[in-house]
Amino acid sequence: MLDTPAIPSAEAPFRLTSLAHGGGCGCKLAPSVLRELLSEQAPGGPFEKLLVGTETGDDAAVYQLDDETCLIATTDFFMPMVDDPYEFGRIAATNAISDVYAMGGKPLLALAILGMPLGKLPTPMVRDILRGGQAIAAEAGIPVAGGHSIDSPEPIYGLAVIGTARPDEIRRNSTARAGDVLILTKALGVGLYSAAFKKEALGREAYAEMIASMTRLNRIGAALGKRSEVHAVTDVTGFGILGHGLEVARGSGLALRLDADALPVLGQAETLARQGFVTGASHRNWASYGEGVTLPEGFPDWRRHLLTDPQTSGGLLIAVAPEAADALAAEIRGAGYPAAAIVGRLEAGSPGIVVG
């Protein structure tokens, strides 16, 4: 039984989400489409100091400035998945900054990316979006130092973020090792919650749970880069746990075994999945990479949708040496990520995912 609707229609004369055909990281192009678009792009070389480019679908670009410093650069933006403009700004900024943390880096500054439908969105709402983004940037200890804006048919907001790390602190999504244990730092289910929200079927308590997850900075990533037992990191966003897990498996040339029962999920995620509150991106994700995943016999569709559910500002997926996994998971939980859990392992074998 769901609690009281988060935003009763009688109290919402204008819905920000009504101006967008999709929202959050569910707006991302399907993995198969992205691969096709990038298939004829020239490789990053011959730039020997470009340590990370597009080759493994990693979270950010990395350029080595000197022996001590790497520059991390990323951009992320999307359409609203909530109607509160301030919360939309906070969510988009948290999601964008996460890419720097996922590389083991520390963010330095951000630039705003803003597209708004002129004449359709009141100016105070746009100001609130920007204010929300600035609030999260301040929480991360960085300024929003500028940006660019355009008139667009749908509202768009995000950040370009610059960060730094030492060369030995960079953590890629393609450097996991056989035997590594996988830790996930946030619960899954944000896409299911957003689908229910758009249909005014999400309760107030669940809405608050969703906002809290999406606005929790992945700042633990900056500390992970300093841990030699941490071999690879990525953040789980629009492609779901399976899509981003596949990037780790394929990039590292390993088989990934995922324990479906161990995955942390938001409190109403199972209920909503069973009721069919599934995003279009979840279907596109499975169509794009399902051939690389082996599911248990009789695995129900609603459980599969938890695994393909697009996460907006999701958690970090961490590949760590097995002897350090339990202690690190406990440390992460103590650092403010109570859902953090051990969810699988990597082993020698054909690159792909086996769900158990």
Side-chain angles (χ1 to χ4, degrees):
M1 188 76 177
L2 299 184
D3 52 285
T4 307
I7 301 184
S9 57
E11 297 178 11
F14 179 86
R15 299 197 70 184
L16 184 60
T17 52
S18 69
L19 297 177
H21 76 278
C25 285
C27 297
K28 291 177 73 168
L29 295 177
S32 58
V33 174
L34 189 58
R35 285 196 299 270
E36 184 176 353
L37 290 174
L38 294 176
S39 64
E40 296 183 5
Q41 295 292 309
F47 300 100
E48 62 180 19
K49 292 191 175 183
L50 181 65
L51 304 186
V52 182
T54 62
E55 58 278 358
T56 58
D58 220 323
D59 298 296
V62 179
Y63 190 90
Q64 187 167 353
L65 295 177
D66 53 40
D67 291 343
E68 300 293 325
T69 308
C70 287
L71 190 71
I72 303 170
T74 183
T75 181
D76 213 313
F77 52 89
F78 45 60
M79 292 167 282
M81 60 186 302
V82 295
D83 293 320
D84 185 311
Y86 179 75
E87 297 295 4
F88 170 42
R90 292 178 70 221
I91 293 164
T94 307
N95 182 73
I97 295 170
S98 178
D99 286 340
V100 171
Y101 290 133
M103 302 303 299
K106 178 181 178 181
L108 288 181
L109 63 87
L111 301 174
I113 300 164
L114 181 70
M116 289 293 142
L118 295 180
K120 295 182 180 179
L121 204 60
T123 300
M125 291 187 73
V126 181
R127 283 202 299 264
D128 281 345
I129 293 170
L130 295 173
R131 189 167 59 88
Q134 288 176 327
I136 286 294
E139 187 178 333
I142 65 173
V144 179
H148 186 66
S149 60
I150 62 167
D151 177 17
S152 65
E154 297 178 283
I156 297 168
Y157 177 70
L159 298 176
V161 188
I162 301 297
T164 61
R166 288 178 51 87
D168 59 352
E169 294 173 358
I170 295 295
R171 292 296 180 268
R172 301 188 59 161
N173 67 355
S174 58
T175 50
R177 303 178 188 177
D180 279 352
V181 170
L182 289 168
I183 298 172
L184 180 64
T185 64
K186 288 187 186 181
L188 303 174
V190 166
L192 297 162
Y193 274 46
S194 66
F197 175 79
K198 198 155 190 178
K199 295 181 179 179
E200 300 185 33
L202 189 69
R204 292 181 185 275
E205 291 181 8
Y207 177 79
E209 183 187 22
M210 178 180 74
I211 296 294
S213 178
M214 292 190 296
T215 56
R216 183 176 294 119
L217 285 164
N218 282 324
R219 63 170 80 244
I220 190 70
L224 295 175
K226 302 180 186 301
R227 307 284 289 264
S228 61
E229 65 270 31
V230 172
H231 301 146
V233 182
T234 191
D235 63 351
V236 178
T237 55
F239 300 157
I241 184 70
L242 289 183
H244 294 286
L246 271 171
E247 289 177 336
V248 172
R250 289 169 172 167
S252 305
L254 297 170
L256 189 157
R257 292 194 173 272
L258 191 67
D259 184 349
D261 292 333
L263 290 168
V265 296
L266 297 176
Q268 292 289 340
E270 178 179 334
T271 299
L272 294 172
R274 287 179 179 272
Q275 292 177 346
F277 289 102
V278 177
T279 67
S282 181
H283 294 287
R284 294 193 297 271
N285 282 341
W286 182 250
S288 293
Y289 55 61
E291 80 288 345
V293 179
T294 302
L295 298 174
E297 186 175 352
F299 199 72
D301 284 347
W302 70 263
R303 293 198 73 185
R304 190 194 75 207
H305 284 303
L306 284 171
L307 306 184
T308 57
D309 189 50
Q311 304 305 291
T312 298
S313 191
L316 300 178
L317 185 63
I318 306 159
V320 58
E323 65 274 11
D326 288 334
L328 182 60
E331 183 179 326
I332 292 170
R333 287 191 291 269
Y337 306 86
I342 292 173
V343 298
R345 67 185 187 278
L346 291 144
E347 57 190 37
S350 178
I353 294 182
V354 176
V355 178

